[in-house]
């Protein structure tokens, strides 16, 4: 107990230092605890986005689960028992088992298929067949168009039912007309009477599994209570099947309940099949494939997220070791005194262990909650240190957050104990000897850890570049080769290795500065150079830490900007323009067969060409917000011949002037600007541009003549005027999976392109529909454009909106995770760096109180003393910042291209390039500059508080 009280008093007496150390541990736990919280939040958002996309593309509600059990030879009691058992199971076990809210549980009952005959003609031989169905809570989701709701009990022995308009027409009935149900299995005479016609109450109500109600086109719907009493229990009409349809709130689906959903689906199948034959059951969960695919995406995304955090984790570990060393260095004298007075090593270690346990335990309890708050804020990240208004992610504390936070706290605890264990090995004499030998070579210097780290980083870069070459040349996807997470550790190793290597040269730089101006330096500068030069090893911990922080920040900024810009350029290049429209052209093509009609006749042996009538182009130019418009004809399967060479080629026909003003194309892809290539073929209608892939595969060159045509179109001659590597919308890379082992270069599998004048193509080859490319004016909304298209009554068959695709890409979970993680890592790094920076310099100033007091006593003014401190900061922290900027830029240039592995580099166009923008560095340097300025201000204030008499008294003691 006395030891514990002593520890508490020591912590109170050193409350500033203890608070700084606690803050570092707290932020470490918060970052590590944030990763599982952020992972779960972003993966949950990714799943919901995938399900929303599924609903948009398929028109099917993603949160549905359907199971049906059929009956064949079972008796009435067996059928009733199975239905009641499965009802209880679905309500009590399956529903809660999904792990997400159940909006509806629709119980569907179906009778056996029976004949429907008029009461007046009971012996009619040919009669249509029908079934009676019942649905739970049916009346809450329908609107009675005509008639009324059916009764819940038989009325004069007649069962009242409802039907759709389609069924009414199919059977040729009128409401209130009685009909007989005829079948050998029916007990007695069963009469039904349709008393109402219904439709859906809401158009998009997910209650109905079939949104068009076509499954009820040959069925009648009875009241659920009536069906239960008369058909299931009384057995008046045999029940053929019973189904259970769950309508689940898929927007509440998260990472934690995905496994519950799949497990419940399997449990439902097993339970239903255990009560019926396999062929008598039917199941449908349309989103299961999406969810299973999500597991693969979540695995890749999770691997990438943890890999991105590796540099920050390495830096945090280094920080903990640095701060612990600083704290222990300050208390080495106290430890040595205790050891010399008979204290056992375990007693000294135990006192520090209790102090560390208190700090780490408190950080473990508080850290995950801070991580939760950080995760909520970072959901709005739109780039590196860039935030936008966006709905926040649904985040929650999970067990993994506390687990990982506990591991981080334990690691911090061990980091704190390592310097203590080393310090307890030194006696008071040894400690004084160490103080007299401040110029000692660091361990990393003697072990050449900088060289080893750089060697590992460059080897990793070499192997990864070889993998990328294989992906690009073989037309493989990113999943075809194993993605090694260690590749993302390489930037951190490069930063550490390069930083340590430059610090190896740092003392030489100081000596050169001292030597260059030794005759002119003022005393304050001379003293600072002597102080820094003779104690350079003391500053290296801080300098390495600052180098890592700045370099990782620069790398993060470059990575985020590069991936965001490359994603945007890939979409713009693939579409070619802001808006791409395809209008309906009048033609003489035979109309398609109507739905449900006889099949279309077999086409003749020789297909006749379809003739088109070109609509006016002026309405497109007059659309609201249109700045430029161009006609772009694309024939994907054109053919060409050149001498004895033949093959398939993609043909693009353009009006060069309009196309050059409308199309989006980056300048760096070709040797000359795109408009110069367009001017080449504009001078002669026979001129064409061909792709470099075509020139290489067929041995073509400028001036060669090629003949182009396609089915039912005669070949016509064109002359090659130019060869291009890229052209808007054209991807010269081999399609995924098309490269054979015999052609590992991918040359013979690469697509080929020909670009010619549209007028000549239309005049000599054929007049066929072209696409309309539009370039919009700045700040024009697409809604205005759509309204203008509707007003002009332009019949469109397709529309591609680049702006919408860009917004969708910005909200892609991959980019959200990337931007969020890089921003989070840098913010926490800066906070930790600030605390470490202040902690180091405050301890340094406190350790040099006597020296600073003597400086003041011999006449050095406070302004000169602050100037000496500023110069010392410039030579240490300033130098570290400059080195960090240099290393960060090098790391970005070398290692950011590794991120293209996530974009299927075998099909990536335009080629991946590293992009830096000044705004990112302005944000970065502003944050770092503010940190250093605030730190210098605090240190200057501490210097101003030094009392000369106190310092001299300290020296006498």
């Amino acid at each position: 107990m006395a030891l514990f009280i002593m520890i508490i008093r020591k912590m109170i007496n050193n409350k500033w230092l203890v608070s700084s150390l606690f803050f570092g541990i707290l932020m470490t736990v918060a970052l590590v605890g944030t990763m599982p919280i952020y992972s779960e939040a972003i993966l949950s958002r990714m799943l919901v986005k995938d399900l929303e996309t599924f609903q948009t593309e398929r028109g099917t509600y993603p949160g549905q689960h359907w199971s049906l059990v059929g009956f064949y030879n079972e008796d009435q009691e067996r059928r009733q028992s199975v239905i009641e058992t499965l009802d209880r199971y679905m309500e009590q076990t399956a529903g809660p088992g999904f792990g997400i809210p159940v909006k509806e549980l629709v119980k569907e009952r179906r009778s056996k298929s029976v004949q429907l005959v008029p009461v007046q003609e009971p012996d009619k031989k040919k009669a249509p067949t029908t079934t009676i169905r019942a649905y739970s809570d049916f009346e809450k989701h329908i609107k009675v168009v005509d008639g009324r709701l059916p009764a819940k009990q038989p009325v004069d022995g007649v069962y009242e039912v409802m039907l759709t308009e389609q069924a009414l027409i199919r059977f040729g009935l009128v409401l209130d007309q009685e009909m007989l149900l005829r079948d050998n299995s029916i007990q007695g005479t069963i009469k039904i009477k349709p008393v109402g016609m219904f439709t859906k109450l809401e158009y998009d109500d997910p209650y109905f599994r079939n949104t068009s109600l076509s499954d009820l086109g040959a069925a009648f719907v009875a009241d659920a209570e009536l069906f239960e009493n008369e058909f299931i229990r009384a057995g008046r009409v045999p029940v053929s099947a019973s189904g259970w349809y769950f309508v689940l709130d898929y927007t509440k689906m998260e990472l934690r309940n995905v496994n519950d959903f799949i497990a419940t689906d399997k449990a439902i199948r097993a339970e239903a099949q255990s009560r019926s034959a396999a062929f008598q059951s039917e199941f449908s969960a349309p989103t299961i494939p999406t969810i299973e695919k999500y597991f693969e995406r979540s695995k890749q995304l999770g691997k990438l997220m943890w890999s991105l955090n590796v540099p920050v984790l390495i830096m945090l570990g280094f920080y903990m070791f640095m701060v612990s060393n600083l704290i222990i260095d300050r208390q080495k004298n106290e430890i040595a005194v205790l050891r010399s007075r008979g204290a056992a090593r375990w007693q000294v270690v135990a006192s520090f262990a209790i102090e560390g346990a208190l700090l780490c335990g408190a950080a473990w309890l508080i850290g995950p909650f801070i991580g939760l708050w950080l995760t909520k804020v970072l959901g709005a990240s739109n780039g590196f240190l860039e935030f936008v208004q966006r709905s926040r992610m649904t985040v929650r504390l999970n067990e993994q957050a506390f687990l990982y936070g506990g591991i981080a706290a334990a690691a911090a605890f061990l980091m704190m104990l390592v310097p203590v264990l080393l310090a307890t090995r030194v006696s008071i004499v040894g400690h004084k000897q160490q103080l007299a030998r401040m110029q000692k070579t660091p361990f990393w210097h003697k072990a050449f850890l900088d060289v080893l780290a750089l060697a590992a980083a460059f080897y990793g870069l070499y192997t990864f570049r070889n993998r990328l070459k294989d992906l690009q040349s073989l037309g493989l996807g990113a999943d075809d080769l194993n993605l090694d997470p260690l590749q993302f550790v390489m930037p951190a190793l490069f930063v550490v290795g390069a930083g340590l290597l430059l610090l190896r040269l740092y003392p030489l730089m100081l000596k050169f500065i001292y030597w260059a101006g030794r005759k002119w330096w003022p005393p304050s500068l001379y003293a600072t150079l002597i102080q820094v030069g003779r104690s350079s090893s003391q500053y290296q911990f801080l300098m390495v830490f600052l180098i890592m922080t700045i370099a990782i920040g620069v790398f993060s900024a470059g990575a985020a900007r590069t991936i965001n810009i490359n994603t945007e350029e890939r979409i713009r290049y693939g579409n070619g323009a802001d808006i791409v429209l395809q209008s309906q052209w009048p033609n003489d093509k035979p109309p398609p067969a109507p739905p449900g009609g006889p099949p279309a006749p077999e086409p003749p042996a020789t297909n006749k060409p379809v003739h088109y009538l070109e609509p006016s182009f002026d309405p497109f130019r007059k659309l609201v917000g249109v700045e430029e418009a161009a006609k772009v004809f694309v024939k994907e399967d054109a053919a060409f011949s050149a001498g004895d060479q033949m093959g398939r080629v993609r043909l693009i026909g353009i009006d060069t002037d309009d196309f050059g003003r409308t199309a989006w194309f980056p300048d760096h892809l070709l040797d000359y600007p795109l408009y110069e290539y367009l001017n080449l073929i504009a001078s002669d209608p026979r001129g064409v541009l061909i792709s470099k892939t075509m020139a290489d595969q067929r041995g073509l060159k400028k001036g060669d003549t090629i003949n182009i045509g396609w089915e039912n179109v005669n070949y016509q001659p064109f002359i090659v005027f130019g060869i291009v590597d890229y052209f808007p919308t054209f991807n010269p890379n081999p399609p995924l999976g098309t490269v054979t082992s015999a052609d590992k270069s991918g040359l013979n599998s690469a697509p080929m392109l020909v670009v010619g004048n549209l007028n000549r193509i239309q005049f000599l080859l054929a007049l066929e529909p072209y696409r309309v490319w539009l370039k919009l004016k700045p700040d024009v909304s697409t809604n205005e454009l759509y309204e203008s298209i509707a007003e002009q009554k332009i019949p469109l068959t397709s529309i591609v909106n680049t702006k919408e695709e860009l917004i969708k890409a910005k909200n892609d979970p991959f980019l959200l995770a990337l931007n969020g993680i890089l921003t989070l890592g840098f913010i926490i790094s800066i906070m930790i760096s600030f605390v470490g920076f202040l902690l180091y310099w405050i301890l340094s100033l406190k350790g040099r109180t006597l020296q600073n007091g003597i400086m003041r006593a011999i006449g050095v003014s406070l302004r000169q003393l602050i100037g000496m401190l500023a110069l010392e900061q410039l030579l240490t922290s300033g130098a570290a910042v400059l080195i960090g900027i240099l290393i960060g830029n090098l790391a970005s240039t070398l290692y950011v291209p590794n991120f293209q592995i996530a974009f299927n580099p075998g099909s990536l166009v335009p080629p991946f390039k590293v992009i830096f923008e000044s705004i990112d560095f302005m944000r970065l340097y502003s944050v770092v500059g503010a940190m250093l300025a605030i730190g210098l201000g605090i240190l200057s204030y501490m210097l101003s508080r030094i009392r000369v008499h106190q310092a001299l008294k300290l020296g006498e003691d």
Side-chain angles (χ1 to χ4, degrees), residues 635-640 647-651 694 752-754:
K635 192 69 177 179
E636 298 288 353
D637 58 346
F640 78 94
R648 290 288 175 182
V649 69
R650 186 184 192 205
L651 176 64
M694 183 176 178
M752 296 181 288
L753 173 72
V754 173

Side-chain angles (χ1 to χ4, degrees), residues 312-359:
V312 182
L313 292 175
I314 292 176
M315 187 193 64
L316 286 172
F318 191 84
Y319 164 81
M320 295 305 303
F321 187 74
M322 180 192 76
V323 174
S324 299
N325 261 319
L326 290 175
I327 300 293
I328 298 304
D329 281 344
R330 183 172 174 79
Q331 300 184 29
K332 275 184 177 179
N333 189 62
E334 177 185 343
I335 294 173
V337 169
L338 290 174
R339 291 282 290 125
S340 65
R341 293 181 178 179
R345 290 184 64 188
W346 71 267
Q347 291 176 312
V348 178
V349 172
S351 66
F352 282 93
I354 294 174
E355 180 179 348
L358 292 174
L359 296 177

Side-chain angles (χ1 to χ4, degrees), residues 27-40:
M27 295 311 299
T28 303
V29 174
L31 175 62
V32 177
T34 295
M35 283 187 276
I37 299 174
Y38 195 75
S39 298
E40 180 175 340

Side-chain angles (χ1 to χ4, degrees), residues 137-451:
D137 297 325
F138 186 70
E139 62 278 0
K140 297 179 181 178
H141 299 272
I142 63 168
K143 175 174 62 177
V144 179
V145 179
D146 191 10
R148 57 182 174 81
L149 293 172
K152 298 182 181 296
Q153 299 293 333
V155 179
D156 298 329
V158 177
Y159 299 107
E160 294 183 349
V161 294
M162 300 186 73
L163 74 173
T164 62
E165 182 180 6
Q166 184 180 355
L168 195 71
I169 296 173
R170 177 185 179 90
F171 295 125
L173 300 177
V174 295
L175 295 183
D176 296 323
Q177 178 183 354
E178 293 187 4
M179 302 293 290
L180 287 175
L181 300 183
R182 186 172 63 191
D183 190 81
N184 295 332
S185 60
I186 293 180
Q187 302 175 9
T189 301
I190 301 296
K191 295 181 182 180
I192 64 171
K193 180 171 66 173
V195 297
M197 185 173 66
F198 68 90
T199 187
K200 293 189 294 184
L201 181 62
E202 297 179 2
Y203 176 77
D204 56 350
D205 190 353
Y207 174 90
F208 296 94
R209 198 163 57 88
N210 190 311
T211 56
S212 65
L213 301 183
S214 59
D215 59 331
L216 296 177
F220 295 91
V221 180
D223 181 79
E225 184 179 332
L226 181 143
F227 196 101
E228 187 82 15
N229 294 329
E230 297 294 324
F231 294 176
I232 296 178
R233 296 176 182 171
R236 300 295 303 278
V237 177
V239 178
S240 66
S242 179
W244 294 267
Y245 174 58
F246 285 96
V247 180
L248 304 166
D249 187 0
Y250 72 91
T251 61
K252 299 296 190 296
M253 187 172 287
E254 300 177 9
L255 180 65
R256 59 191 175 93
N257 49 38
V258 169
N259 288 322
D260 293 339
F261 185 92
I262 294 179
T264 302
D265 171 68
K266 293 179 180 178
I268 289 175
R269 294 170 186 262
E271 182 70 18
Q273 289 175 351
S274 68
R275 310 205 176 264
S276 63
F279 67 89
Q280 293 178 242
S281 54
E282 174 186 334
F283 305 96
S284 173
T287 56
I288 290 292
T290 301
I291 294 175
E292 291 176 346
K293 183 181 178 182
Y294 156 81
F295 277 116
E296 293 300 321
R297 291 188 63 191
S298 64
K299 188 184 300 182
Q300 295 175 1
L301 188 57
K303 186 189 300 183
L304 179 63
M305 291 170 65
W306 280 99
S307 301
L308 286 172
N309 276 304
V310 166
V312 182
L313 292 175
I314 292 176
M315 187 193 64
L316 286 172
F318 191 84
Y319 164 81
M320 295 305 303
F321 187 74
M322 180 192 76
V323 174
S324 299
N325 261 319
L326 290 175
I327 300 293
I328 298 304
D329 281 344
R330 183 172 174 79
Q331 300 184 29
K332 275 184 177 179
N333 189 62
E334 177 185 343
I335 294 173
V337 169
L338 290 174
R339 291 282 290 125
S340 65
R341 293 181 178 179
R345 290 184 64 188
W346 71 267
Q347 291 176 312
V348 178
V349 172
S351 66
F352 282 93
I354 294 174
E355 180 179 348
L358 292 174
L359 296 177
C360 293
W364 180 40
L365 295 176
I366 302 173
F369 293 96
I370 297 177
L372 180 70
W373 177 80
L374 289 173
T375 305
K376 292 179 179 179
V377 174
L378 289 173
S381 60
N382 196 50
F384 182 73
L385 295 179
E386 180 181 346
F387 301 93
V388 296
Q389 292 290 338
R390 182 187 287 130
S391 59
R392 293 183 176 181
M393 294 181 296
T394 303
V395 297
R396 71 176 190 92
L397 279 177
N398 52 37
E399 296 79 7
Q400 285 187 327
F402 285 96
L403 174 62
Y404 294 145
I407 294 174
F413 178 75
L414 293 177
M415 288 283 187
M416 294 173 60
L417 288 186
V418 170
V420 177
L421 291 172
L422 296 176
T424 56
R425 298 172 58 184
V426 181
S427 64
I428 186 65
V429 176
H431 175 61
K432 295 299 181 181
Q433 289 176 339
Q434 288 181 357
L435 291 177
R437 301 169 184 164
M438 295 304 295
Q439 284 282 16
K440 59 181 180 180
T441 304
F443 170 76
W444 63 264
H445 195 134
K446 293 183 290 186
F448 290 94
L449 294 182
D450 50 347
V451 178

Side-chain angles (χ1 to χ4, degrees), residues 443-656:
F443 170 76
W444 63 264
H445 195 134
K446 293 183 290 186
F448 290 94
L449 294 182
D450 50 347
V451 178
L452 294 176
L454 283 176
F458 283 121
Y459 176 75
L461 180 64
Y462 171 77
T463 57
F464 198 84
R465 290 289 172 86
N466 287 337
R467 289 187 177 188
L468 285 179
K469 288 181 182 178
D470 292 337
L471 286 170
Q472 292 170 338
S473 64
L474 298 178
L476 301 176
D479 297 333
D480 294 312
L481 290 180
N482 291 327
L483 178 60
D484 187 0
L486 292 178
Q487 294 298 339
F488 296 97
V489 183
M490 297 302 111
L493 287 178
F494 176 81
V495 167
V496 173
L500 293 178
L501 180 63
L502 291 178
L503 286 182
R504 185 186 290 268
L505 305 176
Y506 178 69
L508 300 178
M509 183 189 72
L510 290 177
K511 290 180 180 179
F512 174 78
I513 294 174
Y514 171 75
W515 174 83
R518 62 186 183 279
K519 296 181 180 179
W520 302 284
W521 298 137
S524 58
L525 182 57
Y526 178 83
T528 302
L529 287 172
I530 293 295
Q531 168 68 27
V532 176
R534 292 179 177 177
S535 306
S536 60
S537 60
Q538 296 181 27
Y539 300 103
Q540 288 185 352
F541 266 122
L542 175 66
M543 293 182 70
V544 170
F545 188 62
L546 288 177
I547 288 171
M548 290 189 65
T549 301
I550 303 304
I552 290 174
V554 173
F555 176 79
S556 299
R561 180 63 63 179
T562 297
I563 291 179
N564 288 325
I565 295 297
N566 277 275
T567 299
E568 179 179 339
E569 289 190 353
R570 180 166 52 92
I571 293 173
R572 290 189 180 277
Y573 180 92
N575 293 340
D578 295 339
I579 301 290
V580 179
L581 305 176
Q582 181 74 63
S583 62
Q584 179 69 46
W585 285 32
N587 59 76
D588 58 1
K589 184 187 298 184
E602 291 293 329
T606 57
N607 293 327
K608 294 182 179 180
V610 179
H611 299 91
Y612 293 92
L613 181 62
E614 180 180 2
S616 174
F617 190 69
D618 287 338
F620 293 103
R621 297 186 184 275
K622 296 178 181 178
L623 292 173
V624 174
V626 172
E627 182 177 334
E628 300 290 346
K631 305 174 183 178
V632 182
F633 170 71
V634 180
K635 192 69 177 179
E636 298 288 353
D637 58 346
F640 78 94
S641 65
D644 58 349
Q645 299 281 343
M646 298 185 68
R648 290 288 175 182
V649 69
R650 186 184 192 205
L651 176 64
I652 296 181
I654 59 173
D655 290 329
T656 55

Side-chain angles (χ1 to χ4, degrees), residues 757-793:
N757 287 279
L758 178 62
N759 291 334
R760 181 175 175 85
I761 293 173
Q762 290 180 331
F763 181 72
L764 293 180
L765 295 176
L767 177 65
E768 293 189 2
Y770 50 71
R771 302 169 186 174
V772 179
W773 288 16
L774 302 178
K775 180 181 179 181
L776 301 182
K777 298 176 182 178
D779 302 325
V780 173
S781 68
T782 53
N783 288 333
E784 295 176 346
L785 177 67
Y786 292 160
E787 292 174 359
S788 181
I789 292 175
E791 291 176 1
Q792 295 281 354
K793 298 182 179 178

